[in-house]
Amino acid sequence: MRSTISIALLIAGLGVAPSQAQAHDLMTLDELMDAFGWDFDSAEIKAEQYGDGLYVLFGLGGNIAVSIGEDGVLIVDDQFPQLVPKIEAKIAELGGGAVDFAINTHWHFDHAEGNLALGPQGSWLVAQANSRRMMADAHVINMVAMQYEQQAYPEDARPAITFDETMQFHFNGERIDLLHFGPAHTTGDAAVIFRGRNAVHMGDVFNNSGYPFIDADNGGDLDGMIHFCESVLAEIDEDTTVIPGHGPVTDYQALVDYIDMLETVRAAIMDLMAEGADLEAVLEAKPTAPFDAAFGDPSGFVNRAYTSLQKAGG
């Protein structure tokens, strides 16, 4: 299992004793930071290059794609406001200036909280329309082992530019496609395809650090996640660089294998549900067993997958 910390790890309660997780029905961001050893002061921003002017930054929270060129700087996801100065410093080190556009792959705090700094600074914020809608109010994110209430963002931290299904940028010498294929990880996910560099950022629809998190209490959907991944697969090719929401940058085949995992687990859970199994029985049956060695603790994933399938009517 990869070491990168993500919401997918949070839902499994890794690093937190059960008694501690149960003691916090609604945790603050500071409590989450403490529970999982996140520290803004000591956090480092690291960069990897994936083509001329295209980089991926790693820090705390979701992976950040960065396009730097003659038109300026465009980023995909922005982590936390406390890290924005470090992110900006790394972009400057890579030859870029101020962030002109920041695209949110979805509305969760570990991918979009940097809006709180970038928006007031003048960056144009972009997202799928449902993500802007979710940012306008407070929402509880049920991570199974713990719950976090993400607060509403002020107007200047909400995306000023939104789209429903598709949108295009023509920026830094290439076309950049923003695509939405319906509810998946959340109700407002966006895949961002850099056509010239042949790379795609998928946000948390594709997690490469462990089992994914399906925000089933806020409209996330396992069937939708499979459909979203398959739809992205149809838009790319075997040479495409695939940037996950968390974990190492990878390739087309890794996405194919991920879809296989999702489909296999879905089928196993559906069979159990057809036999009348409740959540406890499904967990005891270990429907993810063939994949646990690679993906880690499955309890949170199975909980949210079962919940989403139950809401869809099985």
Side-chain angles (χ1 to χ4, degrees):
M1 181 177 174
R2 293 85 172 182
S3 61
T4 303
I5 295 175
S6 70
I7 285 183
L9 303 186
L10 298 181
I11 63 174
L14 300 181
V16 179
S19 60
Q20 181 181 355
Q22 294 167 2
H24 295 274
D25 290 335
L26 280 178
M27 298 184 75
T28 66
L29 181 58
D30 286 342
E31 288 172 326
L32 284 179
M33 297 291 294
D34 290 341
F36 292 95
W38 290 356
D39 182 69
F40 292 132
D41 292 335
S42 63
E44 295 183 30
I45 305 298
K46 299 180 180 179
E48 295 177 358
Q49 186 167 6
Y50 292 94
D52 184 21
L54 181 65
Y55 304 86
V56 178
L57 304 186
F58 305 88
L60 298 179
N63 296 334
I64 301 173
V66 182
S67 172
I68 298 173
E70 62 181 12
D71 294 326
V73 174
L74 177 150
I75 68 173
V76 181
D77 287 343
D78 52 28
Q79 298 188 1
F80 298 95
Q82 296 90 337
L83 293 180
V84 165
K86 293 184 179 184
I87 293 167
E88 292 174 326
K90 180 59 68 172
I91 290 172
E93 181 183 315
L94 298 172
V99 174
D100 298 289
F101 294 96
I103 300 168
N104 299 139
T105 59
H106 61 291
W107 60 275
H108 282 161
F109 64 98
D110 57 328
H111 293 256
E113 204 90 346
N115 287 13
L116 296 168
L118 291 174
Q121 289 177 191
S123 300
W124 286 100
L125 305 177
V126 185
Q128 202 277 336
N130 291 334
S131 279
R132 175 183 162 85
R133 177 176 57 82
M134 295 299 284
M135 291 178 194
D137 300 299
H139 297 277
V140 174
I141 303 174
N142 181 1
M143 296 174 279
V144 183
M146 59 193 69
Q147 297 184 347
Y148 169 66
E149 186 173 22
Q150 181 166 322
Q151 298 301 310
Y153 287 5
E155 181 65 33
D156 61 0
R158 300 176 207 162
I161 302 170
T162 62
F163 71 100
D164 292 323
E165 296 181 358
T166 63
M167 179 179 177
Q168 294 180 344
F169 276 80
H170 297 271
F171 194 79
N172 287 340
E174 68 177 328
R175 192 181 90 203
I176 302 171
D177 288 345
L178 281 60
L179 304 173
H180 173 70
F181 300 106
H185 169 64
T186 70
T187 60
D189 300 296
V192 183
I193 303 180
F194 297 84
R195 294 294 186 182
R197 275 69 174 179
N198 198 14
V200 58
H201 193 313
M202 295 189 62
D204 280 359
V205 176
F206 175 39
N207 177 34
N208 199 29
S209 68
Y211 283 112
F213 171 47
I214 302 167
D215 193 353
D217 288 2
N218 291 305
D221 182 76
L222 175 57
D223 287 335
M225 183 173 282
I226 294 169
H227 171 69
F228 197 110
C229 289
E230 290 177 335
S231 298
V232 170
L233 205 63
E235 290 282 341
I236 62 177
D237 61 45
E238 294 183 359
D239 296 322
T240 302
T241 297
V242 179
I243 304 167
H246 299 270
V249 174
T250 187
D251 56 20
Y252 180 97
Q253 186 59 48
L255 181 57
V256 171
D257 294 342
Y258 180 81
I259 294 170
D260 177 66
M261 179 275 291
L262 293 176
E263 292 179 333
T264 302
V265 172
R266 181 195 183 278
I269 294 176
M270 289 291 289
D271 287 345
L272 291 163
M273 292 174 68
E275 296 169 1
D278 60 10
L279 175 58
E280 183 177 356
V282 170
L283 287 166
E284 289 177 356
K286 302 185 185 304
T288 63
F291 307 100
D292 290 349
F295 286 87
D297 188 327
S299 55
F301 169 53
V302 173
N303 180 299
R304 297 292 84 194
Y306 174 91
T307 299
S308 74
L309 291 171
Q310 188 179 51
K311 287 185 176 184

